[in-house]
Amino acid sequence: FAGGLTGQGSASLDLERVVDTQARIARTPDLARSVLRSAGVDTRRADQLLGSSSVEPIEDTNVLEFRVVDADPEIAERLATAYAQQFEETDAAIERAHKGVVEEMASLARQGRRDSALYARLAEDAQTLRTMAALQSSRAQLLRSAEEAEQVEPRPARAGALGLAAAVLLGIGLVALLEALDTR
């Protein structure tokens, strides 16, 4: 797992809400695709990564914990670390997008098109990006890389024990059924 420090923005924002919002932002398919590319894992899809991972705030902190479950511990470590790193880099992408929207709005204003539908939409986009930037905060950073992944699947000893128990119960049930059906 790896964590990113977040929620250090405006004092008027409820920090718990900010960190919860950050956790939701981290669960986007675009970010998942970016994580897979960054980690060099081409055997998984974004929806598979989102299904086998979680991003949750650590209680009483402004830290997000990124967890990835995978049959291969090495891949799980790479993906968890890449996930936190890619999330950390989304802050710069938001800033670049905001700058582009503001430049486009300035261009429309120079053309005298402030009352156009495009300008109104760009103004909404700019506000959304400002909000995202305030929530993201430029203080997001990787606290530690993933380490010591534990294997969660497959567990051959457990599977073997469960298989043996099921076979014994099935055998006993079959013998009991045959005994009950025998009319001799």
Side-chain angles (χ1 to χ4, degrees), residues 4-45:
L5 183 62
T6 60
Q8 304 269 327
S10 168
S12 67
L13 297 173
D14 176 19
L15 289 180
E16 184 177 330
R17 189 171 140 225
V18 169
V19 176
D20 286 341
T21 302
Q22 292 295 352
R24 287 179 184 249
I25 290 171
R27 303 293 294 154
T28 63
D30 285 341
L31 183 60
R33 282 188 284 278
S34 179
V35 168
L36 292 168
R37 277 192 306 275
S38 173
V41 177
D42 57 0
T43 58
R44 310 288 189 285
R45 295 186 325 264

Side-chain angles (χ1 to χ4, degrees), residues 91-133:
D91 186 38
I94 290 170
E95 288 300 319
R96 284 192 306 272
H98 183 261
K99 182 179 177 183
V101 168
V102 169
E103 288 173 0
E104 184 66 26
M105 287 175 64
S107 173
L108 289 173
R110 284 191 299 274
Q111 297 170 14
R113 297 177 54 196
R114 281 185 189 251
D115 59 346
S116 71
L118 177 58
Y119 188 90
R121 173 162 169 154
L122 289 173
E124 288 177 21
D125 291 348
Q127 179 60 41
T128 300
L129 289 167
R130 275 194 299 272
T131 302
M132 289 175 68

Side-chain angles (χ1 to χ4, degrees), residues 11-181:
S12 67
L13 297 173
D14 176 19
L15 289 180
E16 184 177 330
R17 189 171 140 225
V18 169
V19 176
D20 286 341
T21 302
Q22 292 295 352
R24 287 179 184 249
I25 290 171
R27 303 293 294 154
T28 63
D30 285 341
L31 183 60
R33 282 188 284 278
S34 179
V35 168
L36 292 168
R37 277 192 306 275
S38 173
V41 177
D42 57 0
T43 58
R44 310 288 189 285
R45 295 186 325 264
D47 61 325
Q48 290 172 318
L49 174 60
L50 291 173
S52 66
S53 64
S54 65
V55 179
E56 297 176 0
I58 297 175
E59 192 171 335
D60 297 325
T61 71
N62 295 336
V63 176
L64 294 177
E65 183 174 58
F66 294 78
R67 290 182 176 264
V68 177
V69 176
D70 196 275
D72 184 340
E74 181 184 324
I75 289 178
E77 287 178 20
R78 283 187 6 227
L79 287 172
T81 299
Y83 207 155
Q85 290 170 335
Q86 291 301 307
F87 179 74
E88 180 182 11
E89 292 174 13
T90 59
D91 186 38
I94 290 170
E95 288 300 319
R96 284 192 306 272
H98 183 261
K99 182 179 177 183
V101 168
V102 169
E103 288 173 0
E104 184 66 26
M105 287 175 64
S107 173
L108 289 173
R110 284 191 299 274
Q111 297 170 14
R113 297 177 54 196
R114 281 185 189 251
D115 59 346
S116 71
L118 177 58
Y119 188 90
R121 173 162 169 154
L122 289 173
E124 288 177 21
D125 291 348
Q127 179 60 41
T128 300
L129 289 167
R130 275 194 299 272
T131 302
M132 289 175 68
L135 291 173
Q136 183 69 22
S137 120
S138 62
R139 294 179 188 93
Q141 65 185 30
L142 179 65
L143 296 179
R144 69 181 170 127
S145 296
E147 52 194 42
E148 300 179 17
E150 68 180 62
Q151 182 175 353
V152 293
E153 291 294 333
R155 292 185 177 167
R158 183 175 134 216
L162 289 174
L164 179 63
V168 168
L169 289 175
L170 186 61
I172 291 172
L174 185 60
V175 167
L177 179 65
L178 290 174
E179 192 65 33
L181 293 176

